[in-house]
Every structure is written in C-alpha cells, then in structure tokens.
Amino acid sequence: MNSSTSDISLLGRLPQGWRRALGAISVLWIATALGAVLAFLTQALLARELGPAEYGLFASSLATVTMVAPLAGFGLPQYWLQVYGVEGWQGNRWLTTSLRFITGSTVMTLSLVAVWSFVGAPLDARPLLLLLLPIVLGTLAVSLISSQLRLEERHYSMALWQLITPGSRMLVAVALLIVPSLDGRFVAIGFSLISLVFAAFALPRLLAMMRGGIQLHGHGPRPTAPMAGRSPSVARLWSLAWAYGLEATLYPIFFQISTVLLKYLNGNAQAGIFGIALGVMMAIYLIPSTVYQKFLLSKLHRWAVHDPRKFWKVYRHGAIAMLASGVLVALVLVVVSPWLVPIIFGEKYRPVVHVLTVLAVCVPVRFLSTAVSSALLNEQHMRYRVVAMGLSAVMVVVFNVILIPRYHEMGAAIATVAGEVSLLVAMYGGLRRFHARRTV
C-alpha cells in the first residue's frame, strides 16, 4: 500500500507539462504497438493463405505503389509542420496554394502508376498495380490528416487515426480465412476500397482546414483579425517544399526497393520471403517513428526557432534513449525469431529467420539515425537530407543488383544494412556540418 502511495505521489510531483507529455506518448505507444500487432497479423494471414509466390507478387506490387504514393502531395504534409512551426497562425496563408499543389501532384502520381503498369511492369503485376491505384489517395489522406493532428497536438485523435489502416486491412486478411478461394486480387481490391473510404472521410476535414479551420496549438489564441500576408504562388511553394517531397519519395524507395528488385531479378517467392522480413522491420521501426514523427516533430520545429536550449536537450536525451532501446530490440529480434517465425508464418517461411538475423543490425542504426536526423529540420538541412537519402538509395540499388543474383534474399538484406549504415553516417555528417558547436 505504501509503495502504491509513493508511486502516485512521485507522479503527482512531476510538472504538469511532463505529465501531459507522458500521457500523450503512452497513448501513442499503445496505439503504435496495437497497430504493429494488427499489421503483423495481417501480413502473417496473407502470407499463409496466399503462399510465397502469390504473396511475393502482391507484396512487390504494393511496394511499387507505396514507393510512388508520396509524390502525391510531394512533401507538403511535412512542410506544413515547418511553416506553422516558424510562422504560427500566419501559416494559414499557404493553404489555398496547398490545395492547388495537392491536386496537381495527385493527378500526376496516379497517371505515373497507370502508365508504368502498361509500359514497364511485368504482365503478372499489371492487374494488381491498377487495382492498387487508390492506395495513392489513401496514403495522401492519412499523411495530410496526420500533419493536421500534429499541428493541433491532438495526440489521442492521432492514436485512433493511426489504427484505422491496420485494423481495416486486418479485416481483409481475415476474409481469406473465411473464403479460402479468394486470391491476391481480392486483397488488392479490399485495400483499395479502404483507401477510398479514408480519402472520402478526410476530404471535408481538409476543405475545412483550407478555409482556416485548423486549431493550431502552441502559438497562442487565434487572431481576431485576419493576418496580413499574401497567398504565395504554387511555384513559391514548390521552391520551398521540394526537398521535403524528395525525402518523402526517396524513403520508401530506399526502404522497399529490395522487395521490388527481388521480384524483377529473382522471382515472386524470394520477394515474398524478403517481404515478410521487411514487414517485421516496419513494425519495429514504428517505435522511433511514434516518438519523433507523431509526437515530437511539430514541437521540434517550434523549439528550433523559439526555444533552442530545449531543442538540444531533447535531442541529446533522445539520441541516447534511441540507441539503447535499438540495441535491446535487436537482441530480442535475434533471440525470438528462430522459433516465432515458423509458428506464425509456417515452415515454408523459415528462410525469413536468416534474413531477420542480418536485418537486426539495422535496428539500432535506424533508431539512432532517426534521433540524429531530428536536428536537421529547416530548408537547408532538408536539401542535405535529400542528397544523403538519394545517395543511400543508390547504394541500396547497386548492392541489390550485384548481390541478389547470387545471394537472393540474403543479398537484399545485406544491401539494406549497407544503406542504413550509410544513411546514419550521412546524417551524423550533416549534424557536424550544420551544428558543429552543438555536437557532442
């Protein structure tokens, strides 16, 4: 009884801001963990019911659309965080231009996927690519609403929002258990219908935001009178946001290109094996993503300009915590994967264990690089990050082309490790370049 009272009094002595932050992070962590479990179970059901070859075809097609999807919006959701972090309520002047920017980039992205499906894609992938086109709209909707919720610091709504996608996709995977005759095309249709529902749900919220309906947090009350400031041109928005767009586009290429190249260079079965391993890594990477992208990012943009001392304190503590937790998670992954993978996915996916053993090296590397890159936020930093991400993506592609023909999915795993390490080195180099006095 005394121990419980002591614990309560200890929490009660924490500053109110700390208690709010811990509560928000806890909710986001729980939602992230639940989302990761749902995504993992969805992947396991699809892999078991479709088999390595058909699952590999579906996974590589989904990866192709996912890689291109960030071209819709082209970094605008990320740029909103920077604009509002610096300008506060004055950032509303960008909204009308944003709507035109979103419309043009989305039409271009949908056209690009459609053209590729007929001109460059293998014949067996063409139907799935066309069926998965609405994923572009769903990805854009999720990204835009997520940025809005971050700016409003509505962390509980953010937690619910991030559960909708994995929860809905889980229902599609369960349908395969109920009706075993369903195939990958049914899954593609199901995922696309979910994306269309997201887009329809997000549209009225986004239109309301475009009319100034955002409830911006951390910049004082809404001004009673309209703020001076002319709406910038689309060309001006493009000149400032392109780096955010390239980074958002390069990241899925950097992360998922191995699955696509395995399908093109080696076959559907090998792509299925690596797709399973990559899905596990994606679930693990939600840990640093939750802390930095969903909770801290809008705050870091604000602190970088208005409270540098707090910004650097959060950076240093975060880097240490990310490295320690990354090492711990990697060790757990190596220990549990040999017995857990066959149980969940079946014996035919046992090669996934060897791939995960190699990819475990990426865990502490990714955790630390997420923390390091959090100090590179403005336009100049983003241009550097784009170059670093581009070079790392090129390295992953080159290593894949060299290693996949001989080592198959293990070659793709080695290429992924090389890319993650090179990205961490580049991010640290950027930190030393732009913040030499702050680097410890």
Side-chain angles (χ1 to χ4, degrees):
M1 185 68 179
N2 290 339
S3 174
S4 176
T5 304
S6 175
D7 291 341
I8 295 174
S9 63
L10 177 61
L11 290 174
R13 288 197 296 269
L14 289 174
Q16 185 177 5
W18 278 76
R19 293 200 301 271
R20 283 199 303 266
L22 287 173
I25 291 177
S26 297
V27 170
L28 289 172
W29 272 104
I30 292 170
T32 297
L34 182 56
V37 170
L38 290 172
F40 186 80
L41 291 175
T42 299
Q43 188 182 43
L45 285 173
L46 293 178
R48 292 184 72 103
E49 297 301 313
L50 297 178
E54 189 174 6
Y55 177 76
L57 175 61
F58 174 79
S60 60
S61 300
L62 181 62
T64 301
V65 177
T66 303
M67 286 193 302
V68 180
L71 289 173
F74 202 64
L76 183 63
Q78 294 80 7
Y79 184 64
W80 276 352
L81 302 180
Q82 198 271 337
V83 164
Y84 279 101
V86 174
E87 297 188 12
W89 290 100
Q90 186 73 31
N92 282 340
R93 68 193 181 98
W94 294 88
L95 292 177
T96 302
T97 305
S98 295
L99 183 58
R100 297 198 297 270
F101 188 82
I102 290 168
T103 302
S105 60
T106 301
V107 171
M108 180 201 70
T109 305
L110 292 172
S111 302
L112 182 63
V113 176
V115 170
W116 173 254
S117 66
F118 285 101
V119 175
L123 289 177
D124 60 345
R126 181 181 300 171
L128 286 179
L129 289 173
L130 293 174
L131 289 173
L132 290 169
L133 263 177
I135 297 289
V136 173
L137 301 177
T139 301
L140 176 63
V142 169
S143 184
L144 290 171
I145 295 299
S146 294
S147 287
Q148 180 188 10
L149 294 174
R150 289 187 192 112
L151 290 169
E152 296 176 343
E153 297 198 4
R154 295 169 57 190
H155 302 299
Y156 296 95
S157 297
M158 169 72 78
L160 179 61
W161 181 244
Q162 74 182 55
L163 283 175
I164 295 177
T165 298
S168 302
R169 289 184 173 182
M170 177 71 179
L171 295 178
V172 175
V174 169
L176 293 180
L177 287 175
I178 300 173
V179 185
S181 61
L182 297 175
D183 58 8
R185 294 193 184 191
F186 167 81
V187 179
I189 293 172
F191 280 22
S192 292
L193 288 176
I194 290 168
S195 294
L196 290 174
V197 171
F198 287 169
F201 175 79
L203 183 59
R205 294 174 59 99
L206 292 171
L207 291 177
M209 180 181 176
M210 296 301 170
R211 294 191 291 268
I214 187 172
Q215 304 299 318
L216 191 62
H217 184 88
H219 294 276
R222 180 191 299 273
T224 54
M227 302 185 70
R230 193 173 56 177
S231 179
S233 65
V234 173
R236 175 64 175 163
L237 177 58
W238 162 262
S239 69
L240 295 174
W242 68 266
Y244 295 87
L246 274 181
E247 186 188 44
T249 304
L250 285 170
Y251 172 75
I253 294 174
F254 166 78
F255 187 61
Q256 300 195 49
I257 191 64
S258 298
T259 304
V260 177
L261 288 176
L262 270 167
K263 187 263 187 294
Y264 280 66
L265 298 175
N266 218 210
N268 291 330
Q270 287 73 25
I273 295 296
F274 190 80
I276 291 292
L278 203 62
V280 174
M281 300 303 293
M282 289 174 66
I284 292 172
Y285 290 165
L286 287 173
I287 297 173
S289 173
T290 297
V291 175
Y292 283 92
Q293 299 296 322
K294 296 182 174 66
F295 179 74
L296 282 177
L297 188 55
S298 62
K299 297 177 176 62
L300 289 172
H301 278 291
R302 188 169 72 246
W303 294 334
V305 176
H306 304 291
D307 194 351
R309 184 176 180 180
K310 188 173 187 178
F311 176 87
W312 287 107
K313 182 179 180 181
V314 170
Y315 162 75
R316 292 189 180 95
H317 291 173
I320 295 171
M322 284 294 104
L323 179 59
S325 58
V327 171
L328 178 61
V329 171
L331 292 174
V332 172
L333 177 63
V334 171
V335 171
V336 304
S337 60
W339 62 270
L340 199 59
V341 167
I343 293 175
I344 296 177
F345 298 101
E347 282 295 329
K348 55 191 173 184
Y349 287 100
R350 183 168 287 278
V352 172
V353 175
H354 305 296
V355 177
L356 285 175
T357 302
V358 175
L359 291 179
V361 178
C362 297
V363 177
V365 175
R366 168 60 68 89
F367 278 43
L368 184 57
S369 67
T370 302
V372 171
S373 64
S374 71
L376 305 173
L377 292 172
N378 66 31
E379 288 92 344
Q380 184 182 15
H381 300 161
M382 288 302 300
R383 293 187 184 98
Y384 176 87
R385 286 173 60 163
V386 164
V387 173
M389 181 68 75
L391 291 175
S392 297
V394 170
M395 176 178 288
V396 172
V397 171
V398 171
F399 271 69
N400 271 310
V401 171
I402 295 173
L403 297 175
I404 283 177
R406 183 172 182 179
Y407 299 105
H408 314 298
E409 62 270 15
M410 293 299 292
I414 295 169
T416 302
V417 172
E420 291 282 1
V421 172
S422 71
L423 186 60
L424 173 59
V425 171
M427 290 296 121
Y428 184 71
L431 184 70
R432 294 295 300 266
R433 174 181 175 182
F434 294 109
H435 304 293
R437 295 181 181 178
R438 296 284 186 175
T439 307
V440 295

